[in-house]
Amino acid sequence: MTRVAAVDCGTNSIRLLVADCDPATGELVELERRMTIVRLGQGVDRTGRLAPEALERTFAACREYAAVIKEHGAERLRFVATSASRDAENRDEFVRGVLDILGVEPEVITGGQEAEFSFTGATKELGGRADLTKPYLVVDIGGGSTEFVVGDERVRAARSVDVGCVRMTERHLVHEGVVSDPPTAAQIAAIRADIEAALDLAEETVPLREAHTLVGLAGSVTTVSAIAQNLPEYDSAAIHHSRVSRDRVREITEWLLRSTHAERAAVPSMHPGRVDVIAAGALVLLSIMERTGAEDVVVSEHDILDGIGWSLV
């Protein structure tokens, strides 16, 4: 076993995995998994820069994670940064801050690399499942981008497109700093148009409709699963490898789009940092299921973090 630490810093959240990995058996023993909503991508779509307060929130989480990594004695550490830091003019400021705190330079990876890590993390443990047929379509719905990967044992095709729950919310649902509550029909139509255009782009290189099993990753998808199960609190064990039908995803999405902030915040499994962006994220998931014809989505709690961890061994 090799003890590794993986950090994934996205547009909406920063996450940590500390685990023991055995490449000979394919076993990953999780020791610590944490997630902090830092909204690093706050305003990036509009300004092209990482906001000072967003950087400070992210650095505070990094300091907390540094203590956890030290406590567990991880032998190897890899820090991967995704959509928001790819897009920002001042990403050097972000890189310097992370290096000072964690001692490693964040790797601002491409969408293609992000897709590879997500696919490995999500599918490595699905191989023995007789009820899940290949090829898989793995979709990772992030804050700023969504990754599409089709593959079986290996990735066959991948594409990252710039639609995510934070980007769609900030682009279409925010007016004078306030999120529409609930959004108008015109705002929803504008989000839909962006998503459909992004799906057209993805289909240029990824055969979305050839996959037999849809695997969904990240907070928008896991939150939809939690709502579908009426969980009294967020429960990773209940969510991991749950299956949600397209009809149920549509029902939940429609409710989220017509609900108020207070109604969404009252959902017991809802993370406070997702209240304003979950409706857009659910709409991305529903649009993908409608485009591909997927009858249900297999929800995975194992994703890019696990893929990063495996890359270290």
Side-chain angles (χ1 to χ4, degrees), residues 8-67:
D8 167 40
C9 185
T11 303
N12 195 44
S13 63
I14 183 169
R15 300 180 306 136
L16 168 69
L17 171 68
V18 181
D20 288 331
C21 297
D22 186 346
T25 64
E27 183 183 12
L28 183 148
V29 179
E30 179 181 315
L31 303 173
E32 192 94 37
R33 192 182 292 260
R34 296 195 180 191
M35 187 272 287
T36 309
I37 300 276
V38 294
R39 200 64 64 85
L40 178 62
Q42 172 193 331
V44 165
D45 195 53
R46 177 176 52 82
T47 67
R49 296 180 62 81
L50 298 168
E53 61 271 27
L55 284 168
E56 185 44 49
R57 289 193 298 267
T58 304
F59 294 154
C62 286
R63 286 188 281 270
E64 176 191 326
Y65 290 176

Side-chain angles (χ1 to χ4, degrees), residues 19 196 247 279:
E196 293 301 326
D247 287 345

Side-chain angles (χ1 to χ4, degrees), residues 82-128:
T82 53
S83 181
S85 48
R86 272 202 305 268
D87 300 340
E89 294 172 5
N90 59 332
R91 70 184 190 183
D92 287 349
E93 187 178 346
F94 166 70
V95 170
R96 287 195 303 271
V98 172
L99 183 58
D100 287 346
I101 296 166
L102 287 168
V104 296
E105 191 167 310
E107 300 173 55
V108 182
I109 61 173
T110 66
Q113 290 172 303
E114 191 174 347
E116 290 269 1
F117 286 144
S118 294
F119 186 83
T120 300
T123 64
K124 199 168 183 70
E125 61 189 344
L126 297 180

